[in-house]
Amino acid sequence: MELDDHAEDLASDLGVDKEEVKDDLQNLVEYSVPIDEAKQSLRRKYGDGSSGGGGTPSAKDIADITPDDSNVTVTGVVLTAGERSIRYQGDDHVIVEGRLADETGVIDYTAWEDFGLSPGDTITAGNAGVREWDGEPELNLGESTSLSFEAESREVPYEIGGDADLADLRTGDRAVTIEVSVLECERKTIDGRDGETDILSGVFGDESGRLPFTNWDPAPAIEDGGTVRIENAYVQEFRGVPEVNVSEFSTVTPLDREIDVGSDTTTMDVADAVGTGGIYDVEVVGNLLAVRDGSGLIQRCPECYRVIQKGQCRTHGDVDGIDDLRVKAILDDGTGTVTVVLDDELTERVYGGTLDGALEQAREAMDQEVVADTIRERIVGREYRVRGHLSVDEYGANLDAEHFEESDDDPAARATALLEEVDA
Ligand SMILES: [Zn+2]
């Protein structure tokens, strides 16, 4: 069924203007709300009585709200409020997204109307819609919500404002405030929704780590490099890792402090790192269990650069391969495993020789596997500290290493340090 038919359907059921319903429907659908859910929420909005009609729903604690609730009344403190522009029917529409908290918990909300919400406000939202997003309930504050600001502010055990470290940002985070150093930045021309437009893309860093970014409305302070404070950014997934999005609604201010990028990077358990679904900058420590096939001296397709077997590229057929070095190794820390991928430079270091040296060794042995064997002997069974980009897909987790160092933690030293801590 087309959107138009759905709108027709709803309009006749509810006895309201079709164009109005269609606008709302389009809005919700473009915001990735499934059509059935969108229709249901409009039935509630226009009150067809099927879900109890006009009466104000009873007040609920945030912790008690479930995706099964259709409408609730909540009182809470606005932790964050970030504007974002979405488009429907050719028009840009500004929505506000953020988090609301009470003593019992926190919930994400989307405000479809301009209620003037600011972090720190204590509000009561009467008849707020509840929808499910990724298994969790979220609040929809719209036309049918009666919103009032409370004179007396509530205390909540959550931080007001969106201050965050890059390492803590997750896909879906909204209205975040970060202080970062611009590590890489390039201007690109893309085919945007209004035709060709310039954007900036690159990498931010702070003490906790690094993340890629896109700046949709190029901010001079970002393009100039240096350090900046960014308010009201949001996070979306791009190529398997979270990416900071800086929009026209974000505030970018130059900072005059230095940021020591990566100085506080925390080491994560492999299981926790994999559990995030992808991290741009992470460090893990584990034992190197095995060097996988396809390591050592390899050949790549000159067209697509993928690894080829016996001169055959899956896409480009018979090709003249380019010699290269790489390692794919399995690292295990007791909580999980990850495939660590070393590029040519890191491979040369663990191999203890250059590509030419590897070619020479393979010629002498008349077998290119000797290169992988040499690497195996050097690294398998040792403990390594690996830092890089982690991506997770259906085949498992890959960690593209930027740093690969033998761990200098020896277990005895760690035990002594722990004892000293306990004694102190
Ligand atoms: Zn190819």
Side-chain angles (χ1 to χ4, degrees):
M1 220 170 19
E2 295 292 316
L3 196 74
D4 212 54
D5 300 324
H6 285 296
E8 182 93 62
D9 230 31
L10 266 177
S12 71
D13 277 4
L14 302 172
V16 293
D17 181 58
K18 180 186 152 193
E19 284 311 307
E20 196 180 348
V21 176
K22 193 176 164 189
D23 265 10
D24 281 343
L25 206 55
Q26 182 105 19
N27 189 351
L28 291 167
V29 167
E30 291 201 4
Y31 195 60
S32 308
V33 178
I35 186 75
D36 288 337
E37 201 184 318
K39 284 171 81 174
Q40 227 172 36
S41 97
L42 291 183
R43 283 182 198 281
R44 286 198 296 268
K45 171 174 168 180
Y46 292 100
D48 74 343
S50 64
S51 61
T56 306
S58 57
K60 269 206 161 182
D61 283 342
I62 286 175
D64 296 335
I65 299 172
T66 76
D68 296 333
D69 289 313
S70 54
N71 298 70
V72 292
T73 291
V74 282
T75 298
V77 177
V78 176
L79 299 181
T80 55
E83 290 177 311
R84 198 156 74 93
S85 162
I86 60 171
R87 171 163 290 195
Y88 66 98
Q89 296 201 328
D91 289 325
D92 289 323
H93 189 71
V94 176
I95 59 173
V96 174
E97 298 170 311
R99 311 182 82 204
L100 184 75
D102 65 8
E103 296 78 0
T104 68
V106 180
I107 192 166
D108 287 337
Y109 71 82
T110 301
W112 302 92
E113 306 274 304
D114 183 8
F115 293 110
L117 301 175
S118 310
D121 290 343
T122 299
I123 60 162
T124 294
N127 199 30
V130 178
R131 68 174 177 132
E132 181 178 335
W133 184 255
D134 217 7
E136 297 293 324
E138 281 192 11
L139 293 179
N140 267 330
L141 313 179
E143 245 172 39
S144 57
T145 307
S146 62
L147 196 130
S148 53
F149 292 85
E150 303 292 331
E152 210 161 299
S153 61
R154 281 215 194 176
E155 291 285 318
V156 291
Y158 302 94
E159 203 174 323
I160 292 166
D163 288 355
D165 288 334
L166 292 180
D168 296 330
L169 294 183
R170 298 287 177 262
T171 296
D173 284 351
R174 305 290 180 213
V176 298
T177 298
I178 50 176
E179 295 195 348
V180 295
S181 174
V182 181
L183 303 179
E184 292 168 30
C185 181
E186 63 170 328
R187 188 177 269 263
K188 290 181 186 168
T189 303
I190 60 156
D191 222 356
R193 58 188 187 187
D194 294 312
E196 286 201 343
T197 179
D198 276 9
I199 61 165
L200 301 178
S201 88
V203 178
F204 289 146
D206 70 5
E207 287 83 355
S208 73
R210 292 168 301 157
L211 271 190
F213 74 85
T214 296
N215 178 197
W216 299 101
D217 187 27
I222 291 178
E223 197 160 22
D224 289 348
T227 57
V228 288
R229 176 182 169 85
I230 299 167
E231 288 164 62
N232 191 18
Y234 61 94
V235 185
Q236 268 180 351
E237 184 184 304
F238 184 65
R239 291 186 185 147
V241 294
E243 182 183 73
V244 177
N245 284 252
V246 183
S247 75
E248 62 192 298
F249 298 105
S250 307
T251 310
V252 181
T253 343
L255 278 181
D256 58 3
R257 75 174 176 96
E258 292 291 307
I259 290 177
D260 193 1
V261 176
S263 57
D264 293 343
T265 304
T266 47
T267 304
M268 288 178 88
D269 285 345
V270 170
D272 290 343
V274 173
T276 64
I279 311 185
Y280 185 74
D281 192 8
V282 68
E283 185 178 79
V284 298
V285 179
N287 287 309
L288 207 131
L289 294 188
V291 169
R292 295 174 54 169
D293 289 347
S295 294
L297 184 57
I298 54 158
Q299 283 74 41
R300 292 186 185 277
C301 169
E303 302 264 336
C304 64
Y305 214 61
R306 277 187 291 230
V307 174
I308 58 172
Q309 305 287 342
K310 300 194 169 95
Q312 290 288 317
C313 172
R314 276 194 203 171
T315 313
H316 301 100
D318 218 355
V319 292
D320 240 345
I322 306 167
D323 292 310
D324 197 11
L325 288 172
R326 77 150 179 208
V327 174
K328 291 179 87 173
I330 299 170
L331 191 86
D332 183 306
D333 75 344
T335 70
T337 63
V338 62
T339 298
V340 172
V341 183
L342 306 185
D343 65 5
D344 51 348
E345 254 172 64
L346 287 172
T347 302
E348 283 188 349
R349 274 184 37 209
V350 298
Y351 170 59
T354 59
L355 176 60
D356 285 342
L359 286 165
E360 180 66 35
Q361 190 194 11
R363 250 194 311 273
E364 273 172 25
M366 289 194 292
D367 179 7
Q368 74 171 24
E369 271 305 301
V370 296
V371 177
D373 288 340
T374 303
I375 293 168
R376 258 184 208 104
E377 275 163 32
R378 297 180 67 127
I379 65 176
V380 170
R382 293 170 183 266
E383 190 182 60
Y384 287 91
R385 179 177 295 277
V386 192
R387 185 165 159 196
H389 314 316
L390 179 87
S391 59
V392 181
D393 63 21
E394 58 204 296
Y395 304 108
N398 282 305
L399 179 56
D400 276 322
E402 293 209 314
H403 300 276
F404 182 78
E405 310 278 346
E406 190 160 3
S407 168
D408 43 24
D409 281 359
D410 81 286
R414 240 182 302 165
T416 315
L418 187 69
L419 278 177
E420 277 168 4
E421 240 174 72
V422 174
D423 285 345

